[in-house]
Amino acid sequence: MSSESTHQLDNQTIHSPLSMLYRWEQEKPDQHYMTQPVDGKSQTYTWAETATAVRKLAARLKTYEYHPGTRIAVLAKNTAEWVITDLAIMMAGHISVPIFATAGKDTIEYVLEHAECPLLFVGKLDNYDSINQCELEKVTTVGFPYEGYSADHKWHDFIDVAPLEENPVPDMNAIMTIIYTSGSTGQPKGVVHTYATICWAAQNSLNTLTISDADRAMSYLPLAHITERVLVELASFYSSMTLHFVESLETFARDVKHCRPTLFISVPRLWTKFQMGVLVKVSQKKLNVLLKIPFVGKKVAAKIREELGLNDARLWASGSAPLAPAIIKWFSKIGINISEGWGMTENSAYGTSSVPFRLDKIGCIGKAYEGVDIRIAEDGEIQVKSPCNMIGYYKDQEKTSGVFTNDGYLRTGDKGEIDSDGYVRITGRLKDIFKTEKGKYVTPAPIEAKIMENSVVEQVCVTGTNLPQPIALLVLSAEAQTKSKEEISQLLQATLEQVNAGLESHQRLDRIIVFLQEWSIENDLLTPTLKVKRHVIEERFSDVIHSKFKDKIVWQ
């Protein structure tokens, strides 16, 4: 630990999260900070109560006499204890290693072994099978205060010690966290961030997103993911805004209404589910009529926002994957203007932002944040340089060297273009581009985006390596459940014709294959951030992909 709690970067002072904790502990001890629902009741934490819990846990961690910079893992869904643990790991002088709550046995064991973690905190999970199957002879476990897992130590007993009295602060160049990317291929890579890199992004996000202590945010997207970690958890340390957590999937709607968030970040799949929830109660045809009636339309839109718990929101955002333009326009009509953003674990999820919202820029991922330099390479790759770029991959100098250009830009793997206003549009992934039997290259992302404009489609994967023509594999949305098989086939046939009309001959889809089984994290067809695992889908459904069908809409 260093006596310096701040860091000068581009003439800007970057503070550590611990420095901010000490500040709010002194200046706002009784201000409400976190709300954790437990058994239907709200358990709240002030800044003073949070700091005390952090100090107790840090004191306990110090009794283990781990060498400074020891990696300590956290496997849990978002709770107040997750945030307390994160801060305590910092206060004790160690490095946090978050693991996705949906991770399987092999991933959990790999991360614990690769990062050499002697201690693992286990919290609330939807399913405890994976952690129960893990061999943890070399790892001490501590359980958060929720039923489901029998840990070596219980939370309340573990923190039943005198709180640490001193105010240790980290060297801002020291490693703060190692975040293992979910990835769509191979073992996850450990992305290494220092206090300076990741905190630069969190501290500066307050300016672009105008976050203040008056804001309230729902913390429900995985804290093991970079976006939630930077733009929600870490941003709360700098702004002293209020955090609210979710008790369970079943209580999500209730908890959002209780929070009434002013900032709400979600992912495409959930935005689609919100839309479907509205359309179950009122048909699209009726909604169109109501929204066009003066005065009535505004009241209807306000009522829908209230039912969603988003009537106080001033900023709505979406990330992790593209959100269909048709859905963004649909939400805009009810007063919810969703701003898409883009970033990677490797650059602290701090690349571009579409704030403020512009209807004419739908389909773009926004402009570069202040302090972030984005360029398009000769092969069309988006490359980015900023103070929040990672310092490397843990224990992997070869991959670290390969991901940075000679002049320090991060190779993102995304293809894109930048318009005259500085707005970036992603046109695909370099590694997703495939070659058909005719030797022609196809970029699937733009085609997938067009297919996703059909509201009966929830997930799609366009593939076609060594096929005469590309094909689309897809899973139906909740809205499709209200329609017959014949209706859906007609809608998909119309989409197929419409999409093909705008494509070059070698890009045109030969057919659409509809899968009735959902693609999910559990069956390994989606990453923890709900991205389609293209290579897994292509391998698992290889027989179907290479079969010959007469029909243009095929049901599986």
Side-chain angles (χ1 to χ4, degrees):
M1 285 289 181
S2 162
S3 60
E4 293 293 320
S5 64
T6 60
H7 186 77
Q8 286 294 131
L9 202 56
D10 294 338
N11 297 318
Q12 181 187 8
T13 301
I14 306 300
H15 300 274
S16 75
L18 291 178
S19 297
M20 302 311 298
L21 177 68
Y22 305 146
R23 176 180 173 182
W24 307 136
E25 180 185 29
Q26 291 298 316
E27 294 181 9
K28 306 178 179 183
D30 299 323
Q31 179 177 297
H32 174 216
Y33 172 42
M34 294 189 290
T35 295
Q36 174 66 59
V38 179
D39 297 330
K41 297 178 181 178
S42 293
Q43 182 177 337
T44 60
Y45 291 82
T46 63
W47 278 105
E49 289 167 340
T50 301
T52 297
V54 171
R55 290 178 179 281
K56 286 184 174 183
L57 181 52
R60 173 64 78 183
L61 291 176
K62 279 188 165 294
T63 65
Y64 279 78
E65 298 184 347
Y66 294 136
H67 61 80
T70 294
R71 278 74 57 204
I72 296 177
V74 183
L75 172 70
K77 294 182 70 175
N78 303 14
T79 59
E81 291 81 12
W82 205 110
V83 175
I84 289 167
T85 300
D86 195 21
L87 285 163
I89 291 170
M90 298 181 210
M91 191 178 285
H94 301 309
I95 297 168
S96 60
V97 180
I99 302 175
F100 279 98
T102 53
K105 170 183 178 292
D106 292 345
T107 297
I108 296 170
E109 291 183 343
Y110 173 80
V111 171
L112 292 175
E113 181 178 352
H114 190 260
E116 300 173 79
C117 301
L119 185 65
L120 167 66
F121 286 88
V122 180
K124 189 185 293 187
L125 302 172
D126 288 333
N127 188 314
Y128 291 88
D129 289 347
S130 294
I131 184 61
N132 284 328
Q133 293 168 10
C134 288
E135 296 180 11
L136 302 173
E137 289 82 2
K138 298 178 181 178
V139 180
T140 300
T141 56
V142 180
F144 287 173
Y146 304 98
E147 298 295 325
Y149 181 70
S150 180
D152 298 328
H153 301 280
K154 294 182 178 180
W155 176 259
H156 291 298
D157 294 337
F158 199 72
I159 65 170
D160 187 18
V161 294
L164 198 70
E165 292 185 3
E166 58 265 32
N167 291 349
V169 290
D171 179 338
M172 296 298 285
N173 289 315
I175 296 172
M176 184 185 114
T177 188
I178 302 174
I179 302 174
Y180 281 79
T181 57
S182 51
S184 56
T185 58
Q187 293 288 12
K189 300 187 291 288
V191 176
V192 181
H193 277 291
T194 66
Y195 284 89
T197 59
I198 199 168
C199 293
W200 182 89
Q203 190 170 320
N204 280 282
S205 71
L206 272 60
N207 302 324
T208 301
L209 307 180
T210 61
I211 302 173
S212 72
D213 61 356
D215 281 310
R216 299 181 298 277
M218 287 296 300
S219 179
Y220 69 99
L221 298 176
L223 274 167
H225 188 246
I226 189 71
T227 302
E228 187 79 2
R229 191 84 177 281
V230 172
L231 298 182
V232 178
E233 185 211 12
L234 290 177
S236 75
F237 300 155
Y238 294 100
S239 64
S240 75
M241 69 175 172
T242 307
L243 294 185
H244 288 247
F245 299 95
V246 174
E247 182 167 1
S248 67
L249 292 173
E250 291 72 26
T251 67
F252 182 83
R254 178 204 74 186
D255 296 333
V256 173
K257 288 181 181 179
H258 181 261
C259 171
R260 294 181 298 112
T262 59
L263 307 173
F264 191 76
I265 303 174
S266 197
V267 292
R269 195 176 182 193
L270 293 177
W271 281 120
T272 303
K273 289 186 181 296
F274 296 152
Q275 180 193 35
M276 294 306 107
V278 172
L279 294 178
V280 164
K281 297 179 181 179
V282 55
S283 70
Q284 186 66 65
K285 186 175 180 181
K286 183 177 180 181
L287 183 60
N288 289 342
V289 172
L290 291 172
L291 290 175
K292 289 178 181 177
I293 302 174
F295 303 112
V296 173
K298 287 188 176 182
K299 286 187 177 181
V300 169
K303 182 64 176 175
I304 292 173
R305 294 197 301 273
E306 184 179 350
E307 283 298 309
L308 291 172
L310 301 178
N311 48 313
D312 285 355
R314 61 173 183 80
L315 179 63
W316 305 267
S318 182
S320 92
L323 181 59
I327 294 178
I328 299 177
K329 291 174 183 175
W330 185 92
F331 274 101
S332 186
K333 290 177 181 177
I334 60 171
I336 294 177
N337 292 322
I338 303 171
S339 296
E340 289 194 278
W342 168 88
M344 306 168 61
T345 309
E346 286 85 345
N347 76 330
S348 303
Y350 203 71
T352 65
S353 166
S354 295
V355 178
F357 176 81
R358 282 178 57 172
L359 201 60
D360 64 322
K361 295 298 184 182
I362 288 176
C364 296
I365 55 172
K367 298 173 69 173
Y369 283 104
E370 187 176 351
V372 175
D373 182 23
I374 291 180
R375 71 184 184 188
I376 306 297
E378 288 186 7
D379 61 357
E381 182 182 38
I382 299 171
Q383 297 181 348
V384 59
K385 181 192 281 189
S386 72
C388 57
N389 280 358
M390 68 170 185
I391 64 169
Y393 293 118
Y394 192 56
K395 296 181 179 177
D396 200 333
Q397 185 55 49
E398 184 179 348
K399 285 182 180 174
T400 298
S401 300
V403 80
F404 284 107
T405 64
N406 291 334
D407 53 351
Y409 281 80
L410 177 70
R411 305 178 196 270
T412 68
D414 285 321
K415 286 192 70 175
E417 54 195 28
I418 302 176
D419 68 17
S420 58
D421 294 322
Y423 279 75
V424 182
R425 182 183 298 273
I426 290 179
T427 58
R429 289 282 294 171
L430 288 173
K431 67 179 181 181
D432 289 344
I433 296 172
F434 58 84
K435 188 188 289 187
T436 64
E437 184 182 79
K438 298 173 182 177
K440 297 278 191 175
Y441 285 101
V442 176
T443 303
I447 304 173
E448 291 166 348
K450 288 291 184 184
I451 296 171
M452 284 291 291
E453 291 184 19
N454 188 329
S455 58
V456 301
V457 179
E458 173 139 336
Q459 298 153 342
V460 63
C461 175
V462 169
T463 185
T465 301
N466 296 327
L467 291 179
Q469 291 292 137
I471 62 173
L473 317 179
L474 60 81
V475 172
L476 299 172
S477 68
E479 183 182 343
Q481 296 174 12
T482 65
K483 302 181 185 300
S484 67
K485 184 175 179 180
E486 289 71 27
E487 284 180 288
I488 295 169
S489 292
Q490 289 174 6
L491 288 168
L492 293 177
Q493 180 66 39
T495 292
L496 180 64
E497 293 170 3
Q498 183 181 0
V499 170
N500 279 344
L503 297 174
E504 295 181 33
S505 59
H506 72 279
Q507 299 174 316
R508 289 173 191 151
L509 300 171
D510 182 65
R511 59 185 177 274
I512 290 176
I513 301 178
V514 182
F515 287 84
L516 297 179
Q517 180 190 16
E518 182 183 23
W519 298 346
S520 65
I521 298 169
E522 289 70 29
N523 61 24
D524 197 37
L525 296 176
L526 296 182
T527 70
T529 52
L530 306 180
K531 293 186 180 76
V532 170
K533 288 189 173 182
R534 188 178 302 273
H535 74 291
V536 175
I537 287 173
E538 290 173 339
E539 183 178 327
R540 190 173 300 180
F541 303 126
S542 176
D543 291 346
V544 175
I545 290 170
H546 291 91
S547 295
K548 297 186 183 300
F549 298 97
K550 291 182 180 179
D551 296 332
K552 293 299 180 182
I553 308 300
V554 180
W555 292 75
Q556 283 294 307

